């Protein structure tokens, strides 16, 4: 019975493959582009520390809840809430996930498009020779402000994402994640080694790793928790949907643990490349990033210009970032597509195509908000989309799933689902405490605090 249902909807090839796919969703521009940017804007090491605590205590907790819901119901987020609590408003949280995933994809696709642009620029030799902060910044600004190129790159990214998703779970998502993620990991380590051996690297490392506790405040907490959800792909039903293709024999606890571990590792390593390079380069400070739309694009060319064989490594590196971004964009598109396939009986192809088109058009104002079109630039369109969806909507989604699993579905039923594939769950009391109390309380506090941003 179970096996038949999985056969019909699709399923993962093995436990390892599921971890790779879920980690592939989690690991992406959130780690390499967004995480260091957030560190730079929020006081350095203190942000790193709070973010890690948020991942361990809240991110892991919510991820396990999402896995349990997904595997138990074998449905997209709308179907999952509906299966557990039929005919109730809870399924609105599912709709928020379906819509929110498409919205995040719209601006995330733009940044992935920048990575595509940097990939072919590197091939074209743009980053050869001595790259300074100024030259790197100028290259980025002129590229991000060119409407046609940006639209073209966005189109390619959304097009590839749509293509992969229309092929389904096995043939599409799996194949990508399996080979390329380990290569990305190896390359990041290599670049990190080069970064820490640059002259002046120590200042950068201490900024990045030695917390200054006096810099802690509610803003740091707000963005650190938001970054944890963003980076782990939580709050919009991605992990519910991915876990819906899992058999009962899978150990949800260890899978969630591995995904959180790999995701944090890549983010930490990305910072180890960025901050030493940055402090070793004249003319730039960490808080400059936001103004320029993202540091990855300005700092990586500098380090690439400083390593032997940099031309070759640069090409490989931007290619892999592109792959990391694509394994995340496909997970975003998968949520609305699974909804239309499960609940509306659309074919996978039709759903992928229509939702993909929607995301492309919605992405245009974000793409054109870095100098391409004045009005979108003035509105700071992309930054505000990111603030609204990545921080507020995600936190709200995570709050709802915590309360839903803790009090509506009830921990005892969630624990029963978790026990398949893992009869002895040692962290059980901690998880129960975190899902029922810690996660909701922290999220409510940060959501209340949003008013200080809005006003
Ligand atoms: N976690 C991904 C990253 O770090 C982005 C991502 C994929 C995401 N799916 C998501 C973020 C769902 C929020 C919600 O790049």
């Amino acid at each position: 019975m179970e096996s038949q249902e999985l056969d019909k909807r699709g399923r993962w090839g093995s436990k390892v493959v599921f971890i790779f796919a879920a980690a592939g969703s989690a690991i992406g521009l959130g780690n390499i582009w967004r995480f260091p940017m957030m560190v730079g804007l929020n006081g350095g090491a203190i942000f790193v520390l709070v973010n890690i605590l948020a991942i361990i205590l809240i991110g892991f907790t919510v991820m396990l809840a999402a896995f349990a819901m997904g595997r138990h119901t074998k449905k997209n987020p709308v179907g999952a809430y509906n299966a557990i609590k039929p005919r109730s408003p809870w399924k609105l949280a599912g709709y928020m996930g379906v819509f929110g995933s498409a919205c995040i994809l719209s601006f995330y696709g733009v940044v992935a498009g920048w990575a595509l642009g940097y990939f072919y620029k590197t091939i074209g030799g743009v980053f050869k020779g001595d790259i300074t902060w100024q030259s790197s910044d100028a290259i980025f600004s002129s590229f991000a402000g060119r409407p046609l190129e940006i639209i073209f790159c966005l189109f390619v990214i959304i097009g590839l994402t749509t293509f992969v998703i229309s092929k389904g779970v096995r043939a599409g998502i799996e194949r990508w994640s399996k080979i390329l993620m380990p290569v990305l990991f190896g390359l990041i380590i290599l670049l990190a080694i080069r970064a820490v051996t640059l002259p002046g690297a120590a200042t950068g490392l201490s900024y990045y790793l030695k917390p200054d506790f006096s810099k802690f405040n509610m803003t740091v907490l707000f963005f650190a928790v938001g970054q944890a959800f963003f980076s782990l792909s939580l709050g919009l039903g991605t992990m519910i949907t991915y876990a819906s293709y899992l058999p009962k024999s899978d150990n949800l606890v260890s899978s969630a643990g591995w995904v959180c571990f790999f995701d944090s590792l890549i983010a930490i390593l990305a910072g180890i490349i960025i901050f030493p390079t940055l402090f070793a380069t004249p003319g730039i400070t960490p808080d400059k990033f936001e103004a320029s739309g993202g540091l990855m694009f300005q700092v990586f060319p500098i380090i690439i210009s400083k390593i032997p064989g940099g031309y070759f490594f640069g090409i490989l590196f931007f290619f892999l970032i592109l792959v990391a971004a694509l394994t995340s964009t496909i997970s975003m598109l998968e949520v609305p597509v699974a909804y239309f396939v499960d609940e509306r009986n659309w074919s996978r192809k039709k759903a992928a195509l229509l939702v993909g088109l929607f995301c492309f058009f919605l992405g245009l104002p974000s793409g054109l908000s870095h100098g391409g079109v004045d009005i979108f630039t003035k509105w700071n369109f992309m930054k505000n989309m990111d603030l609204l969806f990545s921080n507020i909507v995600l936190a709200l989604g995570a709050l709802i799933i915590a309360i839903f699993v803790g009090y509506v579905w009830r921990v005892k039923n969630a624990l029963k689902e978790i026990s398949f594939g893992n009869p002895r769950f040692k962290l059980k009391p901690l998880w129960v405490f975190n899902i029922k109390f810690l996660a909701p309380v922290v999220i409510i506090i940060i959501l209340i605090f949003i008013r200080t941003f809005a006003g």
Side-chain angles (χ1 to χ4, degrees), residues 25-31 101 104 108 229-234 236 238 263 328 331-332 394:
S25 165
I27 297 169
L29 298 166
N31 310 58
S101 298
I104 292 208
Y108 193 96
F229 293 143
F230 186 89
S231 192
L232 296 171
S233 311
L234 294 173
L236 296 179
T238 309
D263 187 64
S328 300
S331 78
M332 293 172 198
L394 242 52

Side-chain angles (χ1 to χ4, degrees), residues 99 102-103 106-107 357-366 381 385:
F99 181 68
C103 292
S106 76
F107 66 83
L357 266 179
F358 171 79
C359 296
F360 169 70
F361 284 110
L362 192 63
L364 294 177
S366 291
F381 196 89
M385 284 289 278

Side-chain angles (χ1 to χ4, degrees), residues 288-451:
K288 275 222 180 110
F289 297 149
E290 190 180 34
S292 350
L295 73 148
M296 169 185 130
F297 297 98
Q298 289 110 323
V299 175
F300 279 123
I302 301 175
I303 182 117
I304 284 164
S305 76
K306 283 188 172 33
I307 52 178
Y311 176 70
F312 171 73
F313 279 120
I315 295 173
L316 194 58
F317 189 68
F318 280 112
F319 175 69
L320 289 170
I321 292 194
L322 209 53
V323 173
L326 278 170
T327 52
S328 300
T329 54
I330 55 189
S331 78
M332 293 172 198
L333 188 59
E334 176 61 21
V335 175
V337 167
Y339 163 76
F340 284 112
V341 171
D342 289 350
E343 310 292 316
R344 307 265 149 163
N345 281 323
W346 288 15
S347 73
R348 213 167 222 286
K349 281 209 166 55
K350 172 181 166 192
L353 199 67
L354 290 183
V355 182
L357 266 179
F358 171 79
C359 296
F360 169 70
F361 284 110
L362 192 63
L364 294 177
S366 291
L368 300 174
S369 67
H370 292 265
V373 168
D374 288 345
I375 185 83
F376 298 138
T377 310
K378 205 171 107 230
W379 287 347
N380 244 325
F381 196 89
M382 182 154 129
K383 197 181 146 225
N384 285 318
M385 284 289 278
D386 182 59
L387 181 67
L388 176 63
F389 285 97
S390 311
N391 291 293
I392 302 174
V393 174
L394 242 52
L396 198 63
L399 174 66
I400 295 175
I401 191 172
I403 294 179
F404 185 76
V405 170
Y407 298 94
V408 181
W409 187 24
R410 295 189 175 280
V411 281
K412 107 170 170 292
N413 295 313
L415 284 169
K416 185 157 166 239
E417 181 62 41
I418 293 168
S419 74
F420 300 124
N422 182 21
R424 281 198 319 269
F425 177 19
K426 288 198 209 78
L427 298 170
K428 186 155 61 183
L430 184 67
W431 182 77
V432 171
F433 175 79
N434 287 349
I435 199 85
K436 290 184 84 163
F437 304 106
L438 187 76
V441 167
V442 173
I443 301 172
I444 287 172
I445 290 175
I446 61 168
L447 283 176
I448 291 173
F449 187 71
I450 288 173
R451 292 181 38 209

